[in-house]
């Protein structure tokens, strides 16, 4: 699977010297902070496909962890981050509900890797995303988004609770904070670089 795109003529949407685009997927359950994470890191106004939740979502979307939530992503979130004069990183945030599984698969096409966001109040809801990535052979890291008033745990305890492979990176982050979100992205990037042959 090709994880980079090369541009012959970047045009007006990118700086003239940009010739490589890298793609990272951001996955995780409903209301875990994917839209916030992509928006926090994007250097451009992020593309969001948020729609108002209707009565049809009652009993389908669990709002226990986010009782004030009134919108949901129905396709994707998209952001861009310039890494250097020749390279940009595209972030694709996926909707979290299981009914969008085909969208998850589509967004993974061409992805260099993925970041799975998790919430300590419902860690088990992130497992299906890790399973999907493992089935597709896409390397990933896990970032536990530390919500206000959510239980806090040491990384080692979280790793044990999630039964993560010892090679899978785990980090804590606040998706609202640019420095914290950047550290989570760097954790994934360093892992991806470690997988590249010397």
């Amino acid at each position: 699977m090709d994880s980079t795109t090369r541009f012959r003529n970047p045009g007006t949407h990118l700086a003239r010297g940009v010739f490589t685009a890298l793609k990272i997927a951001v996955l995780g359950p409903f209301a875990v902070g994917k839209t916030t994470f992509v928006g926090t890191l994007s250097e451009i106004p992020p593309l969001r496909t948020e729609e108002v939740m209707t009565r049809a979502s009652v009993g389908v979307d669990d709002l226990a962890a986010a009782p004030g939530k009134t919108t949901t992503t129905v396709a994707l979130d998209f952001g861009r981050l310039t890494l250097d004069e020749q390279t940009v990183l595209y972030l694709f945030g996926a909707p979290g509900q299981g009914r969008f599984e085909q969208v998850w698969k589509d967004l993974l096409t061409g992805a260099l890797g993925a970041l799975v966001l998790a919430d300590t109040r419902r860690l088990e809801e992130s497992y299906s995303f890790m399973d999907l990535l493992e089935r597709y052979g896409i390397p990933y890291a896990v970032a536990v988004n530390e919500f206000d008033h959510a239980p806090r745990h040491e990384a080692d305890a979280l790793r044990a609770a999630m039964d993560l492979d010892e090679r899978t990176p785990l980090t804590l982050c606040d998706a609202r904070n640019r420095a914290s979100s950047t550290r989570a992205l760097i954790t994934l990037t360093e892992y991806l670089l470690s997988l590249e042959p010397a």
Side-chain angles (χ1 to χ4, degrees):
M1 183 178 330
D2 184 15
S3 58
T4 64
T5 302
R6 301 216 178 258
F7 300 98
R8 293 272 180 224
N9 299 301
T12 59
H13 299 290
L14 292 170
R16 206 137 205 41
V18 173
F19 286 96
T20 302
L22 307 172
K23 178 180 180 181
I24 296 292
V26 181
L27 305 176
F30 172 71
V32 78
K34 300 176 300 294
T35 297
T36 301
F37 183 87
V38 171
T40 295
L41 286 176
S42 182
E43 67 192 13
I44 60 172
L47 168 68
R48 293 186 170 138
T49 59
E50 293 270 303
E51 292 294 334
V52 175
M53 296 171 68
T54 65
R55 274 192 245 167
S57 72
V58 175
V60 176
D61 296 328
D62 183 3
L63 292 174
K69 189 168 177 62
T70 59
T71 62
T72 186
T73 300
V74 295
L76 60 89
D77 298 307
F78 172 79
R80 185 185 78 200
L81 191 59
T82 299
L83 301 181
D84 60 36
E85 292 180 356
Q86 297 183 331
T87 310
V88 295
L89 178 68
Y90 291 136
L91 297 170
F92 287 81
Q97 299 93 323
R99 62 182 176 272
F100 292 110
E101 185 171 353
Q102 186 57 53
V103 176
W104 305 344
K105 294 175 181 176
D106 292 342
L107 288 181
L108 290 175
T109 300
L112 187 63
L115 189 67
V116 177
L117 291 185
D119 180 344
T120 58
R121 295 166 293 185
R122 51 201 175 101
L123 291 174
E124 70 285 350
E125 293 183 19
S126 295
Y127 299 166
S128 59
F129 299 94
M130 294 184 278
D131 289 343
L132 177 71
L133 293 166
E134 289 169 7
R135 280 200 318 269
Y136 278 75
I138 295 176
Y140 66 92
V142 175
V144 175
N145 192 9
E146 296 190 306
F147 287 90
D148 295 337
H149 312 299
R152 302 292 173 101
H153 303 282
E154 295 294 327
D156 288 345
L158 289 167
R159 176 177 291 284
M162 299 178 82
D163 194 28
L164 288 180
D165 184 285
E166 61 181 15
R167 295 165 297 180
T168 302
L170 172 71
T171 187
L172 307 176
C173 79
D174 180 341
R176 301 166 298 184
N177 181 282
R178 186 172 179 84
S180 181
S181 296
T182 299
R183 282 194 298 274
L185 190 58
I186 288 171
T187 297
L188 171 62
T189 303
E190 288 175 342
Y191 176 55
L192 296 175
L193 289 172
S194 77
L195 301 176
E196 289 294 314

